[in-house]
Amino acid sequence: MTTRNPTTVFVGSIPIGQDHPIVVQSMTNTDTADIEKTVQQVYQLAKAGSELVRITVNSDAAAAAVARIREKLDAIGCDVPLVGDFHFNGHKLLAKYPGCAQALAKYRINPGNVGRGSKKDPQFAQMIEFAIKYDKPVRIGVNWGSLDQSVLARLMDENSTSSTPRDSVAVMHDAVITSALESASKAIELGLAKDKILLSCKMSGVQDLISVYKDLAARCDYPLHLGLTEAGMGSKGIVSSTAALAILLQLGIGNTIRISLTPKPGGDRCQEVIVAQEILQSMGLRSFTPAVIACPGCGRTTSDYFQKLAQDIQSFLRHKMPEWKTQYAGVEDMKVAVMGCVVNGPGESKNANIGISLPGTGEKPVAPVYIDGQKDVTLKGHDIAEQFQKIVEQYVARTYQQ
């Protein structure tokens, strides 16, 4: 099963849809009105690998800051497209701050929060008119936590009179999808080109998300943004997001992704970018940084030396990638093995581009290094980590020359 998305939507210079690479997104959690903090976090997210960054535009101060944020990012060479996240008052802010409307690369509109009752349609129409005026794509992003209640009520009424009524969960799923599809149809009626529309239908339950997106993908040909909303903190958020998105991505569903992790107080916002990249890379859908293969350890590896080396090498590779990716084509596909004993160490090292097999408990204190399947050198001493990093750098420079 694959999504039917014959059109490509450009967000800035980034193509989304068809067979284009799945795009990694993130979102700031700064007050957008705080220009310096927002610029800093956008830059950090982009440097970590976020290809689109969404910012909250919820007030006059935030909207007034957007154009300046764009200018400052451009000045430091950060050209990542900015997406404006609008709820409730987006129509007013876009009208009042044309600099904001122009600086953003995409608008996110939530049909459930664009307006209530008689205000809903005209306020939605205003936002679409601005998208047309400034030639911007729109993500119509439905969230089950802020679902358009008029759509849900209508479908519930229809279900209650049906000869074969469905359960309330199935109706709610249908209401989320219907809200997105009907809003997209209205946008087209208002004059927005079809290749300016992306859709999302976010749920907070894994099975709910899978069910909704499978149905949505079968019913439309818009590019789809995936994300488990309110995924949670730490391992819970990572595992839940991975479980849901991996199934959908394996089915060919999804053109952009975001991992909505709740960071620890003072935690690194960039974690959500790294998790998104690792999901795509572990599934073989994209490569972002050389992969480190490392054993989990056992009774043969009572020393934690190999664990520290694996961590150091992973950090080293991520630190070097911003420089390497501009110099060495294909380096992101490199595989590095850091193994802890003789059982699987030599075999895994031989199967990697470059690998090191550290001595396990009671083994001879030497570490053979394998390059492209052949033993190259045996390292000894207290600076094995530094020696190995130099070998990796030399291998990259020699192997991935442009």
Side-chain angles (χ1 to χ4, degrees):
M1 177 180 179
T2 57
T3 50
R4 295 177 293 112
N5 48 349
T7 57
T8 295
V9 176
F10 278 87
V11 180
S13 62
I14 297 177
I16 298 174
Q18 289 187 313
D19 296 323
H20 295 293
I22 296 166
V23 173
V24 172
Q25 295 194 36
S26 61
M27 185 174 183
T28 59
N29 61 355
T30 59
D31 180 355
T32 306
D34 188 329
I35 294 174
E36 296 303 325
K37 284 186 178 180
T38 302
V39 167
Q40 182 181 22
Q41 191 172 85
V42 170
Y43 177 75
Q44 290 171 344
L45 290 167
K47 188 176 179 181
S50 183
E51 293 158 308
L52 298 176
V53 178
R54 185 156 48 111
I55 60 176
T56 299
V57 187
N58 62 334
S59 66
D60 285 84
V66 171
R68 187 65 180 139
I69 290 168
R70 179 73 272 166
E71 290 173 4
K72 283 182 169 286
L73 288 168
D74 290 340
I76 59 175
C78 180
D79 60 358
V80 65
L82 297 177
V83 179
D85 191 57
F86 293 100
H87 297 270
F88 310 113
N89 59 352
H91 60 296
K92 294 180 180 179
L93 297 176
L94 288 172
K96 191 172 180 180
Y97 299 95
C100 169
Q102 183 60 56
L104 294 170
K106 182 175 72 171
Y107 308 156
R108 186 276 176 119
I109 303 174
N110 182 343
N113 288 340
V114 76
R116 295 283 188 268
S118 61
K119 295 182 179 180
K120 175 187 169 185
D121 287 346
Q123 290 178 183
F124 178 81
Q126 276 184 272
M127 295 200 69
I128 297 301
E129 287 166 7
F130 285 117
I132 295 169
K133 177 180 178 180
Y134 293 100
D135 193 29
K136 305 294 182 179
V138 168
R139 171 160 70 93
I140 294 173
V142 179
N143 191 310
W144 84 281
S146 52
L147 178 60
D148 186 336
Q149 293 303 300
S150 65
V151 174
L152 180 60
R154 188 183 84 220
L155 295 186
M156 284 291 190
D157 289 344
E158 292 174 0
N159 187 61
S160 66
T161 60
S162 172
S163 58
T164 56
R166 299 172 294 167
D167 63 54
S168 59
V169 173
V171 177
M172 189 267 287
H173 287 184
D174 190 25
V176 170
I177 296 167
T178 298
S179 178
L181 294 178
E182 289 184 350
S183 296
S185 294
K186 288 177 184 176
I188 291 173
E189 289 173 9
L190 291 165
L192 187 65
K194 188 173 183 180
D195 64 1
K196 293 290 186 181
I197 299 174
L198 304 93
L199 299 183
S200 66
C201 291
K202 290 191 173 183
M203 314 290 285
S204 60
V206 171
Q207 296 297 342
D208 294 313
L209 191 81
I210 294 168
S211 176
V212 164
Y213 270 91
K214 286 172 69 175
D215 194 2
L216 178 63
R219 291 170 61 178
C220 77
D221 56 6
Y222 297 103
L224 303 180
H225 169 67
L226 300 185
L228 186 74
T229 190
E230 288 95 37
M233 297 183 70
S235 60
K236 185 270 179 186
I238 293 171
V239 171
S240 296
S241 293
T242 303
L245 269 60
I247 290 173
L248 293 169
L249 291 167
Q250 188 66 23
L251 293 172
I253 297 171
N255 306 101
T256 76
I257 66 170
R258 184 200 170 198
I259 309 301
S260 299
L261 297 179
T262 304
K264 295 178 181 179
D268 188 356
R269 189 67 167 180
C270 295
Q271 185 185 21
E272 67 177 53
V273 178
I274 294 170
V275 173
Q277 290 180 329
E278 289 179 345
I279 290 172
L280 295 175
Q281 185 152 340
S282 66
M283 295 184 69
L285 297 172
R286 286 191 67 182
S287 293
F288 297 94
T289 192
V292 175
I293 301 161
C295 66
C298 66
R300 292 176 178 270
T301 57
T302 52
S303 167
D304 63 358
Y305 187 79
F306 88 94
Q307 299 166 0
K308 292 177 180 177
L309 180 58
Q311 185 177 47
D312 288 347
I313 288 294
Q314 180 77 69
S315 298
F316 167 73
L317 295 173
R318 281 201 171 274
H319 175 73
K320 296 295 292 186
M321 269 308 292
E323 171 191 339
W324 283 353
K325 70 181 180 182
T326 64
Q327 299 179 30
Y328 304 116
V331 67
E332 66 275 8
D333 295 314
M334 181 174 68
K335 291 181 173 59
V336 180
V338 180
M339 302 300 294
C341 79
V342 74
V343 173
N344 291 321
E348 287 284 5
S349 296
K350 289 177 183 178
N351 287 326
N353 295 104
I354 181 169
I356 185 169
S357 180
L358 295 164
T361 305
E363 294 177 16
K364 189 176 180 180
V366 296
V369 173
Y370 297 82
I371 295 178
D372 292 330
Q374 301 297 319
K375 184 177 176 180
D376 181 75
V377 67
T378 298
L379 304 182
K380 303 175 184 179
H382 299 291
D383 61 342
I384 286 177
E386 291 77 8
Q387 292 180 59
F388 186 61
Q389 287 184 8
K390 288 180 181 178
I391 293 172
V392 171
E393 285 200 273
Q394 292 167 359
Y395 178 83
V396 169
R398 158 172 96 245
T399 306
Y400 298 100
Q401 294 181 14
Q402 295 214 23

